Amino acid sequence: QYSGRRLMVWASLQGDDNLQSMLVGTVMRKIKSRTWKKQRYFKLQDDCMTIWYKMLRSPSSSGLIIKIWLNDVEAIREGHQSEVLLSIADEFPADRCFTLVFRSRRSNLDLVAESAEEAQSWIKGMRKLIESLENMGEREKLDQYPLLRKADKNNDGRMNFKEVQDLLRMMNVDMNEHHALRLFMMADKSQTGSLEDDEFVLFYKMLTEREDILRVFQEYSTDGQKLSQSDLEDFLREEQLERGDVHQHAQQLIEGYEPSDTAKLLKAMTFDGFLMYLGSSEGSIFNPQRRGIFQDMTRPLCHYFISSSHNTYLMEDQLRGQSSVEGYIRALNRGCRCVEVDCWDGANGEPIVYHGHTLTSKILFKDVVNAVLNYAFKVSEYPVILSIENHCCVEQQRVMAQHLNHILGDKLLKSTLEGKVSSRLPSPEDLKGKILVKAKKIGGLEENCNGILGDSFTGLVSDEDEAAEIDEENLHRDSVRRRMKKSKQRLSKELSDCVVYCKSVHFISFRHSQSHFKFYEVTSFTESKARKHLREAGAEFVCHNSRQLTRIYPTGFRTDSSNFNPQEMWNAGCQIVALNFQTAGEGMDLNDGLFSQNGQCGYVLKPSFMRDNEKRFDPDMPQKRDDYQPVVLTIQVISGQQLPKVNIKKDSIVDPLVRVEIHGVPMDQAKQETRYIENNGFNPVWYDTLHFTIHAPELAIVRFVVEDYDKTSKNDFVGQYTLPLSCMQQGMVFFLPGNSCTVRLAAFLKDM
């Protein structure tokens, strides 16, 4: 039944004219730069999951073959939607060009077809295949498991026992040879000494038998063969700790995940259906109810954490790295809502963007603005903030203003809402589809609205570069005034007028900010300055951030584009915590985790005690809150499945352990880990239980890390999954992409 369904899927795909053309293969140009344009032969493979390409000699010639897994393609961009293709726009028309964007950190692939029709054939064909792969159930994917193909050394569609042993090594399992042979012989129904077609599937199913889940299934099954609806309700109530109408939910699960029509008629769930349910998004550790927009989006901007990027144009380090509009595209496609633009005078009167006084490459300001226009609202409709560091002369500032106005048009916020000056910032809901400029501004918002500034062409503003770390709070006020007088920048009125609700100002003190409060003013701190304020006046910092926006950015010493821990800054209520999005690691894991909720829209509502400036929340003493209520979190790490190999040595096998980290206020910072399981990355079983007490659960983020234990050196990183504590679903659930690890989770949670 399963194989028949799979064959029907692929038969319908292969009846498509575009796919037939791709299966035959074609010649396209691979473009790396304006001068590097090489012809390559591209061909869709018969598995309809991979595309191979190689140097153009002849379709049948040998040579280095590059493989593209369609599962790895995140997006297909049509036309001149990359810097490389823009650079050859005068040579190749847009309708022949397209770009493959990959999920990993693999570079984009820019292609030019021989005709517009051929380009469309590949674009439509690949999109159809990707959609089909995304919609395919886990059972349909089994026979396409890539390692099965890779282990078939002679490509004869069969697998002998030697190839099976190689497969086991590839799959990260050190299985006893006698046990492996027993499984092989059980799967070899044809008794030919090799496995093919459905025998592959049978072998894979025996290999991936989930004893831990089978144990739970049989515990709740009345007859040991299936779960009746009543059995399933007991599981949902007792194991998944569900509240509410479990009767209706059980009916929905049977209807949605049970593959057997006979079982459906009996209102029952087989083990296969149970596996499919637990392996779905409903069986994820992430509560499905927190995935969409569920928060109040009508509060002032300063009441939200905002996903923010630092030096967004950089793809690498801060000294010699490449600058690219691709940085903006990637950040915006990840839900980032505040991007940074460092602007300097360029040739021919055109402002450029790069990391000033370094060897990083340069891009045009107008290209950045175009990228923001095209990608600002692809994944989120809520406002985008352009954080502009302006180092340009007045003439090029006017060019910047022209580009902002002409390119962004009515998406650029040029005036206050309804032409009035309010007493607070507008909300994300008020500003849907709008792009705001954060930069220096001549005068205040009130003066601009009242026309007091008139039509003067330029004005003087404080020239305080973000890279400077001047501790003005320790300077005498007259000294501050003298410093400010000495350092002034001329600002064009045209660029100043582009700034409405995000006027960049220099910070003096929390007392000064409170007494001279302007809701539209934004202050910026380096991470080190922010930590100093947090140590000395944590409660005042939180109170300050309940009224106006604060931006935190990495210290200038992070030339490798590394990141600080953003949790410290979120603990103080800082909204715009800017990270180097191009650098993977704990910092970006936490950022992705926090903003994985609320529709991944880039805005997360701060806890109520951080929004009310009458309440004094001190991150160092969360127990002094009026509504203090700690949470006890219990996690039992049960098992792992098909963990990837991290060591390139042929015979290496992972010795996995799981570490659970709590990131939150200082009292909540904690780490615990399981035992390591020796020589089994395929199906390790732990059943280790970890306990945590969390004092500020609304701010807590939980990070699961899987590592390969090493006695003599640092453990190798295998994978991680991060999410807010408030988004965790109780019960028997999975974490890590591909449902790689099973945990049993219980938390005494209040309504967050």
Side-chain angles (χ1 to χ4, degrees):
Q1 183 185 7
Y2 145 70
S3 294
R5 283 201 308 274
R6 184 183 66 78
L7 290 171
M8 286 174 64
V9 170
W10 292 119
S12 66
L13 291 176
Q14 291 177 0
D16 184 284
D17 289 342
N18 294 323
L19 297 182
Q20 288 296 336
S21 174
M22 294 169 66
L23 286 164
V24 171
T26 190
V27 174
M28 292 188 282
R29 285 180 173 85
K30 177 182 175 182
I31 313 294
K32 284 189 176 180
S33 68
R34 188 169 179 82
T35 56
W36 198 103
K37 303 182 284 284
K38 302 293 177 75
Q39 287 188 318
R40 296 289 184 263
Y41 179 73
F42 291 80
K43 185 180 185 301
L44 175 66
Q45 298 305 294
D46 291 338
D47 62 7
C48 290
M49 297 182 73
T50 55
I51 293 169
W52 291 4
Y53 72 90
K54 59 183 178 180
M55 293 177 62
L56 183 63
R57 292 171 183 155
S58 69
S60 59
S61 65
S62 60
L64 178 63
I65 293 176
I66 307 297
K67 185 183 296 186
I68 299 171
W69 289 100
L70 286 170
N71 273 334
D72 292 338
V73 178
E74 180 177 353
I76 303 169
R77 299 185 195 147
E78 298 186 51
H80 300 139
Q81 291 201 61
S82 74
E83 286 167 286
V84 171
L85 292 179
L86 277 170
S87 72
I88 50 96
D90 56 342
E91 186 176 355
F92 300 106
D95 59 7
R96 290 172 54 191
C97 301
F98 61 97
T99 301
L100 300 187
V101 182
F102 297 96
R103 298 183 195 280
S104 62
R105 296 183 181 273
R106 177 177 175 177
S107 299
N108 293 351
L109 182 60
D110 293 302
L111 301 172
V112 178
E114 292 301 306
S115 67
E117 294 74 22
E118 199 167 77
Q120 278 301 307
S121 181
W122 277 82
I123 291 168
K124 290 177 180 177
M126 282 191 288
R127 283 178 175 163
K128 183 170 184 177
L129 286 172
I130 292 168
E131 181 183 4
S132 297
L133 287 171
E134 289 173 350
N135 293 334
M136 191 185 295
E138 291 302 314
R139 290 168 66 90
E140 282 80 4
K141 290 177 183 176
L142 283 179
D143 195 35
Q144 301 301 322
Y145 192 67
L147 290 180
L148 290 173
R149 307 262 173 202
K150 189 174 179 181
D152 183 12
K153 301 291 186 184
N154 54 12
N155 294 315
D156 64 354
R158 301 179 180 184
M159 184 181 293
N160 58 40
F161 184 64
K162 174 64 171 64
E163 290 172 329
V164 164
Q165 289 178 301
D166 291 340
L167 170 69
L168 293 174
R169 284 284 174 185
M170 283 187 264
M171 295 175 80
N172 212 358
V173 60
D174 188 15
M175 183 178 287
N176 177 278
E177 183 174 342
H178 295 295
H179 180 55
L181 181 59
R182 184 173 66 85
L183 292 182
F184 179 88
M185 293 177 68
M186 289 171 63
D188 184 16
K189 300 293 186 182
S190 61
Q191 298 184 347
T192 60
S194 62
L195 307 180
E196 55 181 316
D197 297 332
D198 286 352
E199 293 174 342
F200 272 165
V201 179
L202 179 59
F203 174 74
Y204 183 80
K205 288 188 70 175
M206 288 191 294
L207 200 60
T208 56
E209 193 75 62
R210 295 296 308 273
E211 292 185 8
D212 52 332
I213 296 180
L214 183 61
R215 180 192 303 183
V216 175
F217 179 83
Q218 291 177 338
E219 179 184 341
Y220 285 92
S221 172
T222 303
D223 61 6
Q225 302 299 314
K226 63 183 181 303
L227 292 176
S228 67
Q229 182 170 325
S230 177
D231 294 338
L232 185 55
E233 289 172 15
D234 289 342
F235 170 79
L236 294 175
R237 193 180 296 109
E238 297 169 22
E239 184 74 32
Q240 302 302 79
L241 305 176
E242 285 193 14
R243 295 169 292 202
D245 190 354
V246 294
H247 179 77
Q248 183 179 0
H249 191 202
Q251 286 181 332
Q252 292 171 345
L253 293 178
I254 292 171
E255 190 61 35
Y257 297 104
E258 177 51 50
S260 167
D261 292 334
T262 303
K264 281 184 180 179
L265 288 173
L266 295 173
K267 294 186 176 180
M269 180 175 274
T270 62
F271 183 64
D272 281 347
F274 190 61
L275 271 177
M276 292 178 73
Y277 149 56
L278 286 178
S280 72
S281 60
E282 291 195 67
S284 165
I285 194 170
F286 198 109
N287 187 340
Q289 296 178 1
R290 300 284 174 126
R291 289 200 180 276
I293 302 287
F294 69 94
Q295 294 181 331
D296 181 359
M297 303 301 290
T298 64
R299 295 183 173 275
L301 282 182
C302 57
H303 287 183
Y304 297 84
F305 296 121
I306 304 172
S307 182
S308 307
S309 166
H310 173 248
N311 288 352
T312 316
Y313 47 88
L314 285 179
M315 304 294 288
E316 302 166 38
D317 65 77
Q318 315 275 314
L319 298 178
R320 299 173 179 270
Q322 176 192 5
S323 301
S324 171
V325 296
E326 187 66 30
Y328 293 91
I329 295 171
R330 292 184 181 184
L332 292 167
N333 280 342
R334 289 175 73 172
C336 180
R337 297 289 87 189
C338 180
V339 296
E340 185 179 22
V341 192
D342 283 356
C343 304
W344 299 80
D345 290 335
N348 304 316
E350 282 291 344
I352 56 174
V353 174
Y354 84 114
H355 202 214
H357 310 301
T358 68
L359 298 177
T360 58
S361 61
K362 303 171 178 64
I363 54 177
L364 293 176
F365 175 76
K366 63 181 179 182
D367 289 344
V368 170
V369 180
N370 267 305
V372 171
L373 171 69
N374 291 330
Y375 290 91
F377 306 109
K378 292 277 189 183
V379 300
S380 173
E381 57 188 345
Y382 292 106
V384 168
I385 300 170
L386 290 183
S387 180
I388 293 181
E389 286 302 307
N390 171 23
H391 304 276
C392 293
C393 65
V394 171
E395 290 73 19
Q396 294 210 13
Q397 288 177 37
R398 293 191 179 116
V399 176
M400 288 168 60
Q402 289 173 11
H403 289 324
L404 288 169
N405 282 285
H406 294 159
I407 295 172
L408 300 180
D410 60 4
K411 285 185 171 61
L412 177 68
L413 187 76
K414 287 293 301 292
S415 62
T416 58
L417 299 182
E418 300 178 353
K420 300 175 183 177
V421 179
S422 176
S423 59
R424 68 175 206 172
L425 285 166
S427 70
E429 189 70 27
D430 295 330
L431 296 169
K432 272 184 179 178
K434 291 296 183 182
I435 297 170
L436 285 64
V437 173
K438 172 195 166 294
K440 296 162 190 168
K441 183 175 179 65
I442 303 168
L445 195 57
E446 301 84 358
E447 298 165 296
N448 280 259
C449 287
N450 295 330
I452 295 175
L453 292 180
D455 296 322
S456 60
F457 294 111
T458 61
L460 291 175
V461 294
S462 167
D463 183 17
E464 294 292 347
D465 195 306
E466 280 199 355
E469 292 195 44
I470 304 170
D471 187 3
E472 292 190 349
E473 288 190 66
N474 294 330
L475 295 175
H476 189 273
R477 185 165 294 180
D478 290 340
S479 175
V480 173
R481 289 199 186 102
R482 284 196 299 273
R483 183 181 296 276
M484 299 284 275
K485 285 180 181 178
K486 288 179 182 178
S487 183
K488 293 285 185 179
Q489 178 190 23
R490 193 163 291 278
L491 184 65
S492 80
K493 184 174 185 298
E494 294 87 346
L495 186 58
S496 174
D497 286 346
C498 293
V499 180
V500 182
Y501 290 119
C502 297
K503 176 184 177 180
S504 295
V505 298
H506 188 72
F507 180 79
I508 297 175
S509 70
F510 290 126
R511 180 177 295 179
H512 179 273
S513 294
Q514 187 171 10
S515 59
H516 297 79
F517 167 61
K518 300 288 184 182
F519 69 89
Y520 52 83
E521 293 181 340
V522 185
T523 52
S524 294
F525 302 105
T526 62
E527 56 176 289
S528 53
K529 182 71 72 65
R531 285 194 197 96
K532 179 177 182 293
H533 291 314
L534 192 52
R535 282 195 310 270
E536 296 175 355
E540 285 79 6
F541 208 169
V542 173
C543 189
H544 172 87
N545 289 325
S546 70
R547 299 187 303 265
Q548 56 198 113
L549 292 168
T550 296
R551 179 175 181 267
I552 312 296
Y553 58 97
T555 179
F557 297 111
R558 292 185 180 274
T559 56
D560 59 351
S561 291
S562 60
N563 283 311
F564 57 88
N565 186 327
Q567 185 69 49
E568 297 176 273
M569 313 309 166
W570 294 329
N571 290 341
C574 300
Q575 304 89 348
I576 305 175
V577 181
L579 299 179
N580 291 303
F581 268 51
Q582 74 271 31
T583 306
E586 182 182 275
M588 278 308 300
D589 292 344
L590 293 173
N591 194 80
D592 291 341
L594 176 66
F595 293 103
S596 61
Q597 62 183 311
N598 206 34
Q600 297 182 316
C601 72
Y603 286 84
V604 169
L605 188 64
K606 295 196 288 187
S608 59
F609 55 80
M610 299 186 116
R611 307 194 305 260
D612 186 348
N613 57 22
E614 297 299 320
K615 296 182 179 179
R616 286 182 59 83
F617 172 71
D618 188 338
D620 284 329
M621 291 181 284
Q623 70 275 23
K624 291 194 173 182
R625 272 171 52 198
D626 292 339
D627 56 348
Y628 169 66
Q629 186 176 343
V631 161
V632 176
L633 173 66
T634 300
I635 296 174
Q636 184 182 53
V637 182
I638 300 173
S639 63
Q641 296 79 43
Q642 302 169 34
L643 302 176
K645 294 181 69 167
V646 293
N647 196 314
I648 61 174
K649 293 179 182 177
K650 181 180 178 182
D651 295 327
S652 68
I653 301 293
V654 169
D655 302 326
L657 62 82
V658 178
R659 183 172 65 253
V660 180
E661 304 172 352
I662 308 297
H663 296 264
V665 297
M667 280 184 70
D668 290 339
Q669 296 289 118
K671 297 179 182 180
Q672 295 181 40
E673 61 187 35
T674 66
R675 300 162 291 133
Y676 70 89
I677 304 298
E678 193 168 358
N679 283 339
N680 189 354
F682 185 69
N683 56 357
V685 176
W686 292 278
Y687 280 102
D688 287 355
T689 302
L690 315 174
H691 300 278
F692 302 90
T693 298
I694 301 175
H695 302 273
E698 298 90 341
L699 288 170
I701 294 176
V702 183
R703 182 171 182 251
F704 296 86
V705 183
V706 182
E707 290 184 342
D708 179 11
Y709 175 77
D710 196 307
K711 295 178 183 177
T712 58
S713 62
K714 184 179 177 183
N715 293 347
D716 289 321
F717 175 81
V718 176
Q720 68 84 35
Y721 186 79
T722 306
L723 77 166
L725 174 67
S726 60
C727 294
M728 290 173 70
Q729 187 169 222
Q730 300 184 105
M732 189 174 190
V733 288
F734 290 85
F735 73 89
L736 289 184
N739 303 324
S740 310
C741 286
T742 317
V743 297
R744 184 176 281 117
L745 173 68
F748 298 100
L749 300 174
K750 58 180 178 175
D751 185 16
M752 292 190 288

